[in-house]
Amino acid sequence: MRSFVLSTLAFLGLGAVSVTAAPFSFPLPDGFPTPSADQTKQIEIGAFGTLPNGPPPGSISGDGLTNLKLIALNELFEVAFFTELVQNITNHVPGYEISSRQQRNFVLATLNAVVAQEQLHALNANGALAHFGAQPIQPCQYNFPVSTFDEAIGLAATFTSVVLGTLQDVTQIFAQNGDAGLTRGIASVIGQEGEQEGWYRLLQGKIPSELPFLTTSTRDFAFTAINSFVVPGSCPNVGTIPLKTFQPLTLLNTPKPKTMNLKFSWQKPAVPVPGGQLWATYINQQNVPITEPLTMESVNGNTVVAEALFPYVEFEMNGLTIASLTPSPGPFANADAVAQAALFGPALILIN
Ligand SMILES: *[C@@H]1O[C@H](CO)[C@@H](O)[C@H](O)[C@H]1NC(C)=O
């Protein structure tokens, strides 16, 4: 039984402590994110397949454009992460040594394919944006809060499960806005990211398939999580993405596969919370969100610490749980309703 916990603040905090290297920045030697036709052909060879070669639909909704922008932002971040991971393993950076030559070769072959495949995901989203007359999303500079191979794989599994949840939201938003022609390609990427997730899980000694129905997420939670890896102010046109970010929420203890209290910490906002009270709200699997009261533990300057029940047993809360703080107990009908209300989050919990 293993668990892995991250929160957006932990990303920032750990990043600040452990990063001595310069932030990761583009372009790559292969021309990405703006490769020539020949360079794109090379990326396709590395990806074991091609960009879709038919045209996107003739038109798209406004919300559909936001979907493509978020996908591009996310895929650019993933290319950065996996490129740096390959570099660390290739250069025998301490913490990234893999002693078995056979395993090292397989890990590098896999991650090199992942880099090229994520590059094509990003090029596909940015290509569609250009096709629809919108600005392609430009890359940022990034810092990653990891310094060993195991931490890197744990982080990859965490953000990939957030992506797997968020692409559910993206598909539903395309469907609701008359963008059915874009859903099939997204479904193909969901499967692709799921194959990756199975391998990241296996590397951690977990069974490859996480849950019967993967946890859902929403665009705003993903947008906030991606932003936590970004060097502030380094994204040239992130302002063209009309999504919101939440205030950071930190999980202070380690969730276990049992019903227990979780300890959260956050910074008192400048403007007091409407109603003055907060609840912990959990999104897990395809279930109705769960809301639990918070019990205040301490207020130290602006730092608030409070506890809430994590009802693991009652709801069999394995896999990804997205925790946030909401200014009401709901009830929240679905993840969208939580994202509408939430003020702090996401804290990302991964059990088993
Ligand atoms: C690569 O190694 C450096 C130095 O330890 C570290 O700061 C960075 O986060 C690592 N990146 C990844 C993706 O593992």
Side-chain angles (χ1 to χ4, degrees), residues 30-32 34-53 116-117 119-120 123:
D30 63 11
F32 185 87
T34 50
S36 67
D38 281 352
Q39 288 172 321
T40 301
K41 187 70 222 158
Q42 288 307 309
I43 294 171
E44 290 178 331
I45 290 167
F48 296 98
T50 68
L51 284 165
N53 62 5
Q117 289 164 347
Q119 284 179 305
L120 294 188
L123 292 173

Side-chain angles (χ1 to χ4, degrees), residues 18-21 80-88 93-94 96 143-149 151-152 155:
S18 65
V19 171
T20 46
F81 179 85
F82 289 113
T83 300
E84 195 176 272
L85 181 52
V86 166
Q87 286 169 357
N88 284 356
V93 168
Y96 292 82
N143 280 319
F144 305 113
V146 292
S147 52
T148 66
F149 177 68
E151 286 174 10
L155 181 56

